Each structure stands twice: as structure tokens, then as C-alpha cells.
Amino acid sequence: MQLVVSTYELRAKKSKQEVEIVDSVKPPNLMRSHGSQVLLLVSGLQLVLFSIHGLQLAAFQDHQRPITSVWVAACAEGNLYALMLPQLQLVSRVTAFPNVPVQLLSSPDCQWVFASSQNSDLEPKVFHTASLVYPLDDEPPVLTTFSSCLRPQACWAPAEAARLIVMHPDGNSMQLVVSTYELRAKKSKQEVEIVVQQIASFLLPDSVKPPNLMRSHGSQVLLLVSGLQLVLFSIHGLQLAAFQDHQRPITSVWVDPSRVITSSLDLSLRVYVWKKENKFPVLKSCYHLLGGSHRWAR
């Protein structure tokens, strides 16, 4: 009954690699992959790294309690709940914004949670996830407040561990500002301090109406949807492209490393593909699909 790790490719008809887990590693309760060659196994207090060929790369046992999967959720009353999976056991409860619905965005490295309230003047906050997952007795969670970013829209740059892009009204002119920050945790024996560094900022041109959707691609590209229009900027404000292929407003947008898909009230999908050129990737219109209903176009 020794455990075996098998790696498959979807189009292959047989196993590509099989690895026997050494007896020193207890049966894992969590398994993740990094890149195409590295496997991460969690067993109680231990995190072990293997190559898919069976070579043990590293082992860590730094946690004071067993590693588990935790789900951070928000409710309409403004509270954040950290729940241990799969039992949904309550780990911690924190009030982010009293009696105000909260929207959450998790960073790509899962170390940060951006919490905001869309329709209020409450300042958005970023929580250090570890302080929610492993709360200390009588200690508040580790967080920082973005005092100048009222009524924000935000997204994380997917190719960076903790690069946050925030769009908010400028305090003086009320023109929209897009600011990009990088976050890191500075740890000492006594506490964890959040270090926020602004790396870019620009004013959104008057020619672009206030966007209703905001996404990011890679580490440098921002996608904004405003009515019929899809506009791409660099994080420093360089306009890279603009598309107006739909006949009615765009209702949603999907962005991944290969493509962008927009849907619209004109009952069509527009598909774009990324092409790597020079410093920034270029988005090319590829094709469109017709059909559906207004019920599902939203």
C-alpha cells in the first residue's frame, strides 16, 4: 500500500512517469504543482518538494500547527471569515467594514487579500493572509490601509506574486488615477510589517470613459472595459491598443495567458489572442461567435 505519484499528459495513452513516495513522507493531505517539473506535498506539519522523476528537492517543517486548506470569505455585514476545509471550521473572524458588503481579491501568491467596498468612502485594506489563517491570541490581523484610494477598482498582476493595480478618483480633480503597488512582508521576531511600494501611476485620459471592468495580463498590461470599448494600457500609462468590435456594451471579460474573450449585450463573443512582440505583448482580434440570449449575456 505504498503511495505512488503518476504524471500524465492529457493526450497521452499511458503514464509518463511514476514515482514511489519514500517511507519518510507520511501520506499527504495536500498536493500542488509548480511549473512542469516540481511537485509539492503537504503532510501535517511538513512540506516536501519532489521532481516528477522522484528526486526529493527540499523539505520544510516550520509551521507550529498542521498545514491545511483555508477559505477566506466575506459577508454582507462586512466581516471576513477564515474557514478550514473541508469541515468549514471557523479559524478567525474579522470585521473589515462594519455593516458594509465587502469585495475580496486574492493575490497570485495567496499571501494577500485586498478588501474593498464598492459604493462607500471607506478606505480599502490589504490583509496579510497568514494573520487570518493563523491568528494569534488577542492580536489583530496584519493589514495596511490605502488611504488615498477611495471607491477603487483593483486587480492583481497575474505574473507577479503581489503586484496590485488600483484605479481610483484623484482627490483634487476627481480624474481617475491608476496606481501600481508592490507588497511584501517584513518579518521580525515580534511582528510582521507590510511594506507597500508604489512603482507606477498615471492619469486615465479624458478620452476613456470611466471603466466598468478592469483586468491585468502578465506584469505590465492593464485591460479596461468602458461601454463598447476595450482599451489596453501599460502600468505607466502608455496606451497599447483600443478595440470597439461590439455593437452593444461589453458585460464581461476573460483574460488568460493566451487569449482575451469579451461578451456583450449584442449576444456575441469576441476572441482575441496575445502575440509576443517587443517589450509588451500585442493583442490581436481573432474571431467572433454569435448567439445566446440576453439572460446569459450578463
Side-chain angles (χ1 to χ4, degrees), residues 168-178 202-207:
H168 59 94
D170 178 60
N172 298 320
S173 64
M174 295 306 292
Q175 190 174 0
L176 289 175
V177 180
V178 178
F202 70 93
L203 289 173
L204 198 66
D206 293 332
S207 58

Side-chain angles (χ1 to χ4, degrees), residues 22-123:
V22 295
D23 293 333
S24 59
V25 179
K26 296 180 181 179
N29 56 298
L30 292 173
M31 183 170 76
R32 298 292 186 268
S33 177
H34 173 71
S36 62
Q37 297 287 320
V38 179
L39 179 69
L40 298 89
L41 301 178
V42 172
S43 177
L45 302 177
Q46 193 175 42
L47 171 65
V48 186
L49 278 66
F50 286 92
S51 77
I52 62 172
H53 303 285
L55 175 65
Q56 183 170 332
L57 304 176
F60 304 93
Q61 193 162 331
D62 296 332
H63 291 268
Q64 300 299 315
R65 63 186 78 179
I67 303 170
T68 58
S69 286
V70 176
W71 179 36
V72 178
C75 70
E77 288 76 21
N79 296 325
L80 303 186
Y81 295 89
L83 304 168
M84 187 184 302
L85 299 178
Q87 303 92 345
L88 293 182
Q89 177 183 347
L90 182 63
V91 176
S92 68
R93 174 183 176 276
V94 174
T95 299
F97 306 108
N99 302 314
V100 177
V102 182
Q103 296 179 332
L104 299 181
L105 288 172
S106 177
S107 64
D109 65 358
C110 298
Q111 297 300 307
W112 309 95
V113 175
F114 179 82
S116 65
S117 179
Q118 195 70 40
N119 300 313
S120 76
D121 289 332
L122 296 173
E123 299 168 343

Side-chain angles (χ1 to χ4, degrees), residues 57-244:
L57 304 176
F60 304 93
Q61 193 162 331
D62 296 332
H63 291 268
Q64 300 299 315
R65 63 186 78 179
I67 303 170
T68 58
S69 286
V70 176
W71 179 36
V72 178
C75 70
E77 288 76 21
N79 296 325
L80 303 186
Y81 295 89
L83 304 168
M84 187 184 302
L85 299 178
Q87 303 92 345
L88 293 182
Q89 177 183 347
L90 182 63
V91 176
S92 68
R93 174 183 176 276
V94 174
T95 299
F97 306 108
N99 302 314
V100 177
V102 182
Q103 296 179 332
L104 299 181
L105 288 172
S106 177
S107 64
D109 65 358
C110 298
Q111 297 300 307
W112 309 95
V113 175
F114 179 82
S116 65
S117 179
Q118 195 70 40
N119 300 313
S120 76
D121 289 332
L122 296 173
E123 299 168 343
K125 302 174 182 178
V126 173
F127 291 85
H128 191 220
T129 308
S131 68
L132 299 173
V133 174
Y134 301 111
L136 300 176
D137 293 339
D138 301 322
E139 291 288 335
V142 179
L143 64 90
T144 188
T145 300
F146 285 77
S147 58
S148 61
C149 301
L150 302 180
R151 300 186 300 280
Q153 292 190 58
C155 61
W156 296 94
E160 299 290 338
R163 178 173 291 183
L164 179 65
I165 307 172
V166 183
M167 181 172 61
H168 59 94
D170 178 60
N172 298 320
S173 64
M174 295 306 292
Q175 190 174 0
L176 289 175
V177 180
V178 178
S179 301
T180 303
Y181 304 91
E182 289 195 340
L183 289 81
R184 63 182 179 89
K186 184 178 179 181
K187 298 180 180 180
S188 66
K189 292 183 178 180
Q190 302 296 327
E191 60 183 13
V192 175
E193 177 187 356
I194 299 178
V195 179
V196 180
Q197 180 183 4
Q198 182 174 314
I199 62 170
S201 183
F202 70 93
L203 289 173
L204 198 66
D206 293 332
S207 58
V208 179
K209 296 180 181 179
N212 55 297
L213 294 171
M214 178 178 173
R215 300 289 187 271
S216 179
H217 170 74
S219 61
Q220 298 280 330
V221 178
L222 179 67
L223 299 91
L224 301 176
V225 170
S226 178
L228 308 177
Q229 198 173 41
L230 171 67
V231 187
L232 279 66
F233 288 93
S234 75
I235 61 172
H236 298 281
L238 175 65
Q239 184 169 326
L240 305 175
F243 301 91
Q244 193 165 322

Side-chain angles (χ1 to χ4, degrees), residues 232 240-241 243 273-278 280-284:
L232 279 66
L240 305 175
F243 301 91
V273 295
W274 295 107
K275 300 291 186 182
K276 185 67 176 178
E277 296 182 14
N278 301 324
F280 299 105
V282 176
L283 192 63
K284 301 287 187 181

